[in-house]
Amino acid sequence: MASASYHISNLLEKMTSSDKDFRFMATNDLMTELQKDSIKLDDDSERKVVKMILKLLEDKNGEVQNLAVKCLGPLVSKVKEYQVETIVDTLCTNMLSDKEQLRDISSIGLKTVIGELPPASSGSDDEYSDDDDMSWKVRRAAAKCLDAVVSTRHEMLPEFYKTVSPALISRFKEREENVKADVFHAYLSLLKQTRPVQSWLCDPDAMEQGETPLTMLQSQVPNIVKALHKQMKEKSVKTRQCCFNMLTELVNVLPGALTQHIPVLVPGIIFSLNDKSSSSNLKIDALSCLYVILCNHSPQVFHPHVQALVPPVVACVGDPFYKITSEALLVTQQLVKVIRPLDQPSSFDATPYIKDLFTCTIKRLKAADIDQEVKERAISCMGQIICNLGDNLGSDLPNTLQIFLERLKNEITRLTTVKALTLIAGSPLKIDLRPVLGEGVPILASFLRKNQRALKLGTLSALDILIKNYSDSLTAAMIDAVLDELPPLISESDMHVSQMAISFLTTLAKVYPSSLSKISGSILNELIGLVRSPLLQGGALSAMLDFFQALVVTGTNNLGYMDLLRMLTGPVYSQSTALTHKQSYYSIAKCVAALTRACPKEGPAVVGQFIQDVKNSRSTDSIRLLALLSLGEVGHHIDLSGQLELKSVILEAFSSPSEEVKSAASYALGSISVGNLPEYLPFVLQEITSQPKRQYLLLHSLKEIISSASVVGLKPYVENIWALLLKHCECAEEGTRNVVAECLGKLTLIDPETLLPRLKGYLISGSSYARSSVVTAVKFTISDHPQPIDPLLKNCIGDFLKTLEDPDLNVRRVALVTFNSAAHNKPSLIRDLLDTVLPHLYNETKVRKELIREVEMGPFKHTVDDGLDIRKAAFECMYTLLDSCLDRLDIFEFLNHVEDGLKDHYDIKMLTFLMLVRLSTLCPSAVLQRLDRLVEPLRATCTTKVKANSVKQEFEKQDELKRSAMRAVAALLTIPEAEKSPLMSEFQSQISSNPELAAIFESIQKDSSSTNLESMDTS
């Protein structure tokens, strides 16, 4: 024995040699010694050997490292258990290191160690007994370690599903309860990392080749179920809870995953619901697991099991503990949808179960003294019962509706009741609601003046569906009561509420036109006021256009075509109220066009009038602007080629001294061309060639045509347009180049097979302007919905992104902008290119001394940084990648560059502060390891003083920076353990001792807690 330890201490000494060959030979000899069965190490030698091998994992020489890893295998079985724990702990810590090589070598080490442990190598659990086996501690450490790795290394998900997932599943049968809990927890972490928060994960358009984490998980579901389903009937409450949590998370990640396995899982769930010894928490977990499974699989999967499921669920609804009741009501509501799905044909007979489901729910609905959540869920559940089974309830129906009426009058339950009534009113079973409408509608009307936004929105939805489906049961008086409440709801202060109110009026115009004479006063004034608001756009604007079209065809007195036209355009003509925003003119013009489309006979006269208004020398610029935009909007849908003066009148307007009239004329020409391409498109192309001075405006008209016309209509003109655009893509004027690039990109979408390769051909152009136009054009071929060009684009976007290495700074900048657009709108295009793109992207985040120059302005010297724009573009790309490609980033490398950005220029600091906020929620463990290095620049920002004689903007900028930095600090502090960092806690006390900083910090924390509440309220 002495000689062995003497020999080994000799080897250990050689392992510290500075000569790598000595280290290699000594490690090799140690390996040979460890493989001998006869070797016995004393405690001291054990400790030294373990310490040395772990140290050699970080050896500068790769061959020595590799040998050291191989030594771990035989070493594990030769040393005492606490030494194995040391080994596993060290490897775990290494796995989270910044050094990639150390992480890799340690992960190999871990696999080696875990492979050597007795339980993993034994075929069945019975081969060893826990008495003489302390290896469970190692298994537990290994599970915890895998948990940590899975939680921090997003980019290794595919690798985890190949190796870690099967290994963990095979240990679900672990006997030691604490170890089992850790194995389950590690698997839960893996599932959570796979959750498709990123839309591309479950996006059918993602075009991802080969195995994705989700497809790999899908193939392992049978093994998971096999490992779990027997354990759902075990004595141990902890084990059963683990099973329920696992199934819940699995279904959240992969809806429909258990379709084939429901028959073996349902008995396990029912076992816990019926088991007298089950704790309350276990029942709640079983119910919430059942709920998630019911929500995420199709109804017919459960039909064979309804008979077994209903009794235990009904019993839980009657449970004395309110939390169980509450969870059981959710399940009941979902069961009702399962036994009679209204959105698909079903042969299942629901009748035997209706009485039980109704009886247990009505009992809870009637009870007055119960928990608030139970009250709300009883209302929702009963709403679902009436919606899906109301035709089977007989005399119970009107009685139950009376209870709803009572709940509507109670402030605490009214919102939930409004939602339940909306559900019932939309039921295809045409439930008879007459018993409650007389009293109910005026109550609903009164909710419209309550200061509760969610209640207003819910009530407008309810009234809308009631008008649609029950117009014959509503009286004029009921509708008037609602109309009286509408004017204050139509306002730019809340566009969503306005949109719902306008949609309600549109429904009213269609199904109850006689009530519209009431709206000519204050409602109409508010509507016309809203049309003039610069905030009217998107959904609210569409709703407004629908409303005017529905209104004008009702033939209501004083609300005919000309009446409405005067109301809309009057102020511009009388100049009584100046419209300050250009957006208002666009909205009015769109309304004019909507009215004209609904009354085509009125078109010619009105168009003629607008043409005269543009020609008339006495017209103000505002009148011209509105007339041109209206001509454009009308001409988009109605062919105006019969108006002979139109072309010359619009071209005349191109020479107007007013920039706004010019751009309106350019928009109008493009929009009118869409209404008749053969008439107008050749004319526009010819003008572009013959009128160099008006080129920019005419190119804008062309852009409007390419963006809005139908593909079929444009096909014959593609070659001519392409040839024309190419002449201008080397234009020195950046504004013109950008319009040309947009036209080229949108034109490419019309015939991608031919045009995309052509675009690619211009990448080798000698002109940097041409190269930047082409790269910008690609940006306009990318959109956030599937398009025929996508597979073609995926194959060649790499060529366009090679311009990230272009010698020209501007070309590199537009390449980053195009990359950012792809990463944001269609990440699948660039996900596989990240390994080549990221080094160039990160390269552009560096400050370049050679791009900073001094400019003399009078007596002052002023520094200009020509590299700022490209750095900004690079950091914007990084921010986008966090959202769309997190699983492909080495987060530690990423954080290095974030750290540099924290010390950069104002604009870049602002971006990196935002990134820290995102990173704190996305990958807290990684951020935690870098905390000290991240806190320092934040602290520097917050303690910087502006020179006393600076201009006002400097002070404002510094304030913005401080607020933004504080937001980042607040976000970092949400990471558990963050305040344990000495630098962080020092900074915290610095904040609280400085009144200015403390005030900012407090207001930020208030903001963040109130936004959380607000988002809950509107849900």
Side-chain angles (χ1 to χ4, degrees), residues 15 50 75 116 254 309 347 545 565 631 739 748 759 829 849 881 906 924 930 982 997:
M15 290 180 191
V50 168
L75 183 64
E116 284 298 320
L254 254 191
L309 281 168
S347 54
L545 301 178
L565 195 66
L631 285 169
V739 190
T748 303
L759 266 187
L829 290 173
K849 294 277 187 292
L881 288 172
Y906 168 82
R930 287 292 181 84
L997 292 182

Side-chain angles (χ1 to χ4, degrees), residues 1 66 103 162 165 234 361 366 418 441 443 533 612 614 723 759 843 873 888 934 1006:
M1 176 140 170
N66 288 336
R103 293 202 304 266
K162 279 198 196 80
S165 174
E234 277 193 15
T361 308
K366 284 178 171 167
V418 168
V441 172
I443 295 175
S533 160
Q612 293 314 311
V614 181
L759 266 187
N843 196 27
R888 297 284 173 104
L934 297 168
K1006 264 209 196 88

Side-chain angles (χ1 to χ4, degrees), residues 250-439:
L250 178 63
V251 174
N252 280 329
V253 174
L254 254 191
L258 302 174
T259 304
Q260 308 298 318
H261 309 287
I262 298 296
V264 294
L265 294 172
V266 166
I269 296 175
I270 292 177
F271 177 78
S272 283
L273 295 181
N274 286 338
D275 182 11
K276 294 285 173 283
S277 64
S278 287
S279 67
S280 303
N281 281 351
L282 181 61
K283 276 193 180 166
I284 292 168
D285 282 354
L287 285 165
S288 78
C289 174
L290 176 57
Y291 174 70
V292 171
I293 294 177
L294 286 170
C295 289
N296 288 293
H297 293 79
S298 62
Q300 50 277 19
V301 182
F302 303 101
H303 288 164
H305 311 286
V306 171
Q307 197 178 354
L309 281 168
V310 169
V313 172
V314 166
C316 287
V317 174
D319 195 280
F321 184 39
Y322 74 93
K323 283 192 168 161
I324 292 181
T325 306
S326 173
E327 207 59 51
L329 282 165
L330 271 187
V331 174
T332 307
Q333 182 171 354
Q334 209 49 41
L335 266 178
V336 170
K337 292 191 200 172
V338 163
I339 63 175
R340 186 159 182 206
L342 295 175
D343 50 357
Q344 45 180 262
S346 163
S347 54
F348 184 75
D349 177 18
T351 15
Y353 309 104
I354 295 175
K355 185 167 178 286
D356 288 345
L357 295 172
F358 177 81
T359 312
C360 74
T361 308
I362 191 86
K363 190 173 164 205
R364 291 298 177 185
L365 182 65
K366 284 178 171 167
D369 55 344
I370 49 175
D371 173 75
Q372 165 74 12
E373 190 177 69
V374 175
K375 273 187 186 154
E376 291 179 356
R377 288 186 174 172
I379 293 169
S380 304
C381 183
M382 187 54 87
Q384 198 74 56
I385 290 175
I386 297 177
C387 171
N388 289 51
L389 308 164
D391 52 351
N392 285 307
L393 294 179
S395 62
D396 284 328
L397 177 63
N399 302 338
T400 310
L401 289 173
Q402 287 304 320
I403 303 176
F404 272 25
L405 207 50
E406 293 310 307
R407 298 288 170 269
L408 206 53
K409 296 173 189 168
N410 178 331
E411 192 174 338
I412 293 175
T413 50
R414 63 192 182 192
L415 179 56
T416 312
T417 313
V418 168
K419 289 182 175 163
L421 284 171
T422 309
L423 187 68
I424 296 168
S427 166
L429 304 178
K430 303 268 179 282
I431 306 297
D432 183 4
L433 289 177
R434 280 173 303 190
V436 290
L437 289 178
E439 201 179 338

